[in-house]
Amino acid sequence: MKKILISFCCIFFIYTNVEAIDLGGLESIGPISTLTRTPSSVTFTCKDYSQVRIHILAPDLVRVRVAFRKGLPERDHSWAIAKTSWDTPRWGLAEEADYVVITTDELEIAVRRSSLLIEFRDVKTHEVINADARPMMFNPKGENIAAAKKLGFDERFYGLGEKAARLDKRRGQFVNWNSDTPGYREGTDPIYQTIPFYIGLEKAKAYGIFFDNSYRSYFDFGGTNQEHVTFSADGGEMNYYFFWGPSIKKIVSRYSDLTGRMPLPP
């Protein structure tokens, strides 16, 4: 009985030994001050001198890139991205009192001015697909960055690469940091291959988020707070790509457009 209890405690320790994402010490990005439009993007400058750029790559794919309390750097390179040149799709911009709305043939991106929150909507139905629960955050005393998304009532989550966990990651907390972890068991985290890409699915409609950040990153799918999904990193840029389905097959195809496909075997 004693051995069984010890084994259970070890398993429980392994399963729960995940660093929680603490948002308490982080500061929110400031409200929008001005915006600048280019043929393929909109850059928002905030009152705290932060910058947010929304880059329209395809009707169902946009990139969100952020620099906190400074302008976006000119250098823009990622080892994870295979396709860097895109034919800019048809899109429009409308400025409202409280929101700036970017529209493609498939997506509607509403950016709130006073408290910088981003909503991704279906352009046909105007239903919210995914939305910020809080403005994007950073640690003014360090390099930590974080984003918090609203958690759907019946939303399910899939992805993150190799994880010794159930297929549905809801209520799970995970660390993304490739680690040589022999003899792992269910709940051990992290293990060998980590990919900061996940798919959210609710009411048979799916979206994807790829957090392009090579630092140690953390994903919390409602484990700490049942109203939020959070992803954060120890440093680097807040830089993520948003994919709209609504089918999972369409998202995975677009994701492989962005990050590359394996060559066919001989």
Side-chain angles (χ1 to χ4, degrees), residues 102-133:
I102 302 166
T103 307
T104 73
D105 289 345
E106 297 185 35
L107 269 174
E108 191 175 77
I109 306 106
V111 184
R112 187 173 174 179
R113 294 178 184 271
S114 60
S115 182
L116 204 163
L117 299 169
I118 302 174
E119 280 187 0
F120 298 97
R121 306 169 183 163
D122 185 336
V123 74
K124 296 177 182 177
T125 64
H126 306 292
E127 291 181 356
V128 176
I129 305 162
N130 177 266
D132 287 350

Side-chain angles (χ1 to χ4, degrees), residues 135-151:
M136 291 171 284
M137 295 158 280
F138 65 102
N139 186 348
K141 298 180 180 179
E143 296 183 336
N144 297 0
I145 55 171
K149 300 288 188 176
K150 291 182 180 178
L151 175 59

Side-chain angles (χ1 to χ4, degrees), residues 11-215:
I11 293 171
F12 182 78
F13 173 76
I14 291 171
Y15 187 77
T16 57
N17 188 26
V18 177
E19 299 177 48
I21 300 172
D22 181 17
L23 305 181
L26 302 185
E27 187 173 313
S28 296
I29 194 170
I32 294 172
S33 176
T34 61
L35 67 86
T36 306
R37 176 176 178 172
T38 71
S40 61
S41 68
V42 181
T43 301
F44 301 94
T45 301
C46 303
K47 291 185 178 179
D48 63 353
Y49 305 107
S50 299
Q51 280 194 329
V52 179
R53 179 168 297 152
I54 296 180
H55 196 163
I56 300 92
L57 302 177
D60 57 351
L61 174 62
V62 297
R63 179 190 183 192
V64 179
R65 187 183 180 209
V66 184
F68 295 102
R69 287 187 176 175
K70 60 184 178 182
L72 286 161
E74 291 297 324
R75 186 177 187 275
D76 182 17
H77 174 75
S78 168
W79 294 106
I81 302 302
K83 184 175 180 178
T84 56
S85 179
W86 297 77
D87 294 329
T88 304
R90 179 174 56 187
W91 64 283
L93 177 71
E95 295 194 51
E96 301 176 2
D98 297 327
Y99 288 89
V100 176
V101 181
I102 302 166
T103 307
T104 73
D105 289 345
E106 297 185 35
L107 269 174
E108 191 175 77
I109 306 106
V111 184
R112 187 173 174 179
R113 294 178 184 271
S114 60
S115 182
L116 204 163
L117 299 169
I118 302 174
E119 280 187 0
F120 298 97
R121 306 169 183 163
D122 185 336
V123 74
K124 296 177 182 177
T125 64
H126 306 292
E127 291 181 356
V128 176
I129 305 162
N130 177 266
D132 287 350
R134 295 175 55 176
M136 291 171 284
M137 295 158 280
F138 65 102
N139 186 348
K141 298 180 180 179
E143 296 183 336
N144 297 0
I145 55 171
K149 300 288 188 176
K150 291 182 180 178
L151 175 59
F153 179 76
D154 196 32
E155 193 171 1
R156 306 295 166 181
F157 301 95
Y158 309 95
L160 298 188
E162 289 183 334
K163 292 295 177 185
R166 297 175 186 238
L167 181 64
D168 178 11
K169 305 298 191 296
R170 186 181 174 102
R171 295 195 178 180
Q173 300 174 63
F174 302 94
V175 178
N176 269 26
W177 188 252
N178 293 355
S179 304
D180 188 6
T181 315
Y184 65 85
R185 60 190 72 184
E186 184 176 352
T188 305
D189 190 62
I191 55 174
Y192 299 103
Q193 184 186 79
T194 57
I195 301 173
F197 168 69
Y198 72 86
I199 290 174
L201 178 67
E202 187 174 24
K203 298 178 181 178
K205 295 181 179 180
Y207 68 88
I209 288 180
F210 173 49
F211 183 31
D212 188 7
N213 185 302
S214 61
Y215 282 70

